[in-house]
Amino acid sequence: MHDTVRLENLGVPAVAVATTEFMSPARIQAGALGRPGLDAVYVQHPIQDQTPQQIAARADAVIGEIVKRLTVAPK
């Protein structure tokens, strides 16, 4: 979240990606860094025991949201 906030503050679109296990800590950290509305994109937790195919499927599930956040101006 630190890197995402730092880049966003520089005007560089950025998206944090985390697993669902870290949803609450990521949101708390974004708020503590002065960006309470900045949220990560979350993939299902855990990932360390997943096969490459399962990880690819999880990435495929969120890539559209990541691209959208990087390319669509906030309202």
Side-chain angles (χ1 to χ4, degrees):
M1 223 21 129
H2 282 264
D3 291 337
T4 302
V5 168
R6 185 176 305 126
L7 287 167
E8 288 279 331
N9 286 343
L10 292 172
V12 178
V15 178
V17 179
T19 68
T20 52
E21 184 72 13
F22 297 97
M23 193 177 284
S24 181
R27 291 175 176 161
I28 290 169
Q29 191 173 46
L33 294 169
R35 299 293 298 268
L38 186 67
D39 203 6
V41 170
Y42 300 98
V43 296
Q44 185 180 352
H45 185 87
I47 58 171
Q48 72 271 16
D49 61 348
Q50 302 299 298
T51 66
Q53 293 80 15
Q54 290 169 317
I55 292 172
R58 291 183 187 185
D60 287 345
V62 298
I63 191 66
E65 180 63 23
I66 293 169
V67 170
K68 178 180 167 188
R69 290 190 192 190
L70 292 173
T71 59
V72 176
K75 296 178 184 172

